[in-house]
Amino acid sequence: MTTTADTSTPLVYDPYDYVMHEDPYPTYARLRTEAPLYRNEARGFWALSLHEDVMAGFRDSEQLSSAHGVSLDPAATGPHAHKTMSFLALDPPRHGRMRALVSRGFTPRRVLDLEPRIRELTRQYVHAAMERGSFDFIGDFAGRLPMDVISELMGVPVADRAELRRLADLLVHREDGVHDVPPEGMEAALQLVVYYSDMIAQRRLRRTDDLTSALLDAEIEGDRLNDDEIIGFLFLMVVAGNETTTKLLGNAWYWAWRSPDERAKILADPEVVPAWVEETLRYDTSTQMLARIATADVALRGGVIPGGDRVVLLVGSANRDPGVFPDPDVFRLDRPEIGQILSFGFGRHFCLGASLARLEARVALEELVRVVADYDIDPAGIERVHSINVRGFAALPTSVTAR
Ligand code: HEM
């Protein structure tokens, strides 16, 4: 990956451009120095790329609202966005109410309690992969585990999981060149809604110890979540927590492969795994940007974003800001400043699943390090996903040497 910026060409940041999917970082570097308040006229949005501005943008939900959704995809944009994105696409006070109620069920304890089960699920996949010696890190492992874990959390029976994974894949999958939710994705969304409605109806009759049951009982001063709100949240977990975690695992695997010195440290000591996860989140995070809408004119860096305009917060760029991360284009495990990463957002919308994503990545990678002496990836078989905000791989053909 090259990270030197060619400043002789006009500066264009277009998240739909495949060149950007290959390597957005040289463009981010130019945005930070040449146009920290960048305007893409053709696509009609503004972009903020400096760490300071991205963080301030996350903080300022009054001027930069989430109420029209956080994606640039047209179908996911508009005042209806919260119907599929739940409180991710709400501002205060509605956001606070929903998040507080959901947090009564989605507790740190519930996440921690998942660890043994995550380890068990991981071992099944790792065992099968090691038996074969070569496997697709995404298709055979990283693409499967997160949906299993979310299903486990929600209480989806094992027998239904393959079908739910198929629907979730259809929902987030985009063919090359498609810039919106395709009809198959819409159809899959409807089927998921029907499935979750039935599940909620069953739990109403008989509670179990899963998150769905806990959400039915969540209450603050007599206020409770209704069925639509619970469905919206279950849906949000699939959309926000599934692909992002798959990509985090894949990006960790890929960058350790590309960085032999760091890989040697990782494979020599499982204690290093959390640092591997954090540096991956910084260096090449799965959620590259979040969109907002300006509620009024916003003056920034000598320009003005007119009220009503779309603004994107470039997390992927903030994490490479040399003002915060020295030598930002080097993948390095020992970074004292790593706590500054914005990969899970900041402020009131800070990722509710961050501890689950971290737990899952740590357990999954620890289990691999336990049994893998070294590994190689076949460069000819590597495939990237083409998405405007999710960054990662669709295929990483891997061969492993067992310990
Ligand atoms: C590597 C994995 C993940 C990344 C990079 C990630 C990233 C993010 C980011 C950047 C936000 C803030 C969005 C904004 O400000 O507009 C967010 C919000 C959220 N994430 Fe995650 N996420 C990950 C995994 C998960 C998981 C596993 C779950 C749940 C199972 C989850 C659930 C949520 C929810 C519910 C929100 C909305 C919070 C709110 O609006 O108050 N995420 N995530």
Side-chain angles (χ1 to χ4, degrees):
M1 177 179 282
T2 159
T3 43
T4 33
D6 172 8
T7 48
S8 63
T9 53
L11 174 55
V12 178
Y13 166 64
D14 178 2
Y16 289 96
D17 184 353
Y18 278 23
V19 174
M20 212 52 60
H21 303 166
E22 212 40 63
D23 183 6
Y25 296 104
T27 306
Y28 290 161
R30 287 190 63 187
L31 289 173
R32 288 192 303 268
T33 50
E34 294 171 41
L37 174 61
Y38 171 79
R39 170 75 179 160
N40 184 318
E41 207 58 61
R43 300 224 181 256
F45 68 86
W46 300 82
L48 307 184
S49 49
L50 288 169
H51 186 278
E52 188 187 342
D53 293 347
V54 172
M55 190 151 114
F58 276 126
R59 255 203 196 113
D60 187 0
S61 54
E62 222 163 86
Q63 292 198 92
L64 296 179
S65 156
S66 297
H68 283 235
V70 300
S71 159
L72 284 182
D73 265 352
T77 301
H80 58 273
H82 69 95
K83 290 194 180 136
T84 46
M85 306 262 230
S86 185
F87 55 94
L88 181 65
L90 288 177
D91 287 334
R94 291 173 74 197
H95 170 266
R97 171 191 166 262
M98 270 289 288
R99 184 161 169 138
L101 277 166
V102 164
S103 301
R104 291 282 155 115
F106 195 100
T107 57
R109 177 83 257 157
R110 187 175 291 281
V111 171
L112 275 180
D113 285 350
L114 276 174
E115 176 163 351
R117 190 63 188 128
I118 298 176
R119 212 168 275 285
E120 207 177 316
L121 287 164
T122 303
R123 282 185 182 162
Q124 287 166 11
Y125 287 122
V126 171
H127 180 73
M130 295 305 286
E131 293 256 288
R132 283 163 47 201
S134 62
F135 64 106
D136 176 9
F137 188 83
I138 305 295
D140 297 326
F141 179 54
R144 291 165 171 251
L145 184 69
M147 190 63 191
D148 284 352
V149 172
I150 290 171
S151 291
E152 191 78 33
L153 187 66
M154 290 178 182
V156 172
V158 175
D160 297 348
R161 289 187 191 168
E163 173 62 4
L164 283 205
R165 182 183 307 124
R166 191 184 70 81
L167 295 174
D169 284 348
L170 280 173
L171 185 67
V172 294
H173 179 76
R174 297 285 184 284
E175 286 298 328
D176 288 356
V178 174
H179 297 165
D180 212 337
V181 183
E184 309 80 60
M186 298 282 194
E187 173 61 25
L190 285 176
Q191 290 186 38
L192 278 174
V193 167
V194 171
Y195 184 88
Y196 293 140
S197 308
D198 286 352
M199 193 165 86
I200 291 169
Q202 284 171 23
R203 296 299 186 280
R204 272 210 188 284
L205 295 174
R206 202 174 63 82
R207 300 285 199 275
T208 50
D209 61 359
D210 53 37
L211 175 60
T212 310
S213 302
L215 292 175
L216 281 168
D217 289 332
E219 188 208 304
I220 298 175
E221 292 171 4
D223 185 19
R224 284 168 180 266
L225 296 163
N226 65 34
D227 283 12
D228 283 350
E229 288 170 334
I230 296 177
I231 293 170
F233 174 65
L234 296 182
F235 216 83
L236 173 60
M237 285 209 295
V238 173
V239 177
N242 190 13
E243 228 202 341
T244 44
T245 311
T246 294
K247 303 303 182 267
L248 166 60
L249 290 171
N251 292 344
W253 198 242
Y254 176 81
W255 287 113
W257 173 67
R258 288 281 304 267
S259 323
D261 290 351
E262 302 308 271
R263 185 169 81 248
K265 289 181 206 161
I266 292 162
L267 293 172
D269 179 9
E271 299 272 311
V272 179
V273 168
W276 180 17
V277 173
E278 295 306 299
E279 177 63 350
T280 304
L281 283 164
R282 182 195 75 80
Y283 189 77
D284 205 15
T285 190
S286 38
T287 305
Q288 288 282 304
M289 57 131 121
L290 280 313
R292 298 291 192 257
I293 189 163
T295 54
D297 291 0
V298 181
L300 190 73
R301 303 229 169 249
V304 174
I305 302 172
D309 273 14
R310 299 287 282 167
V311 184
V312 299
L313 306 174
L314 296 177
V315 172
S317 169
N319 284 345
R320 295 270 192 123
D321 188 330
V324 177
F325 305 99
D327 297 327
D329 299 326
V330 179
F331 183 81
R332 209 177 66 206
L333 301 179
D334 57 331
R335 284 194 174 270
E337 72 285 1
I338 196 71
Q340 307 290 319
I341 56 170
L342 294 177
S343 315
F344 291 115
F346 192 83
R348 69 177 80 249
H349 287 281
F350 182 81
C351 177
L352 193 66
S355 54
L356 176 60
R358 284 182 161 127
L359 173 70
E360 213 173 312
R362 176 175 63 73
V363 169
L365 296 171
E366 268 172 14
E367 286 300 313
L368 282 158
V369 167
R370 225 169 46 82
V371 292
V372 170
D374 203 359
Y375 65 94
D376 199 6
I377 297 176
D378 174 9
I382 295 176
E383 283 171 38
R384 256 199 187 285
V385 288
H386 292 289
S387 155
I388 57 164
N389 65 339
V390 177
R391 183 164 168 75
F393 297 95
L396 284 178
T398 295
S399 50
V400 281
T401 323
R403 280 193 191 279

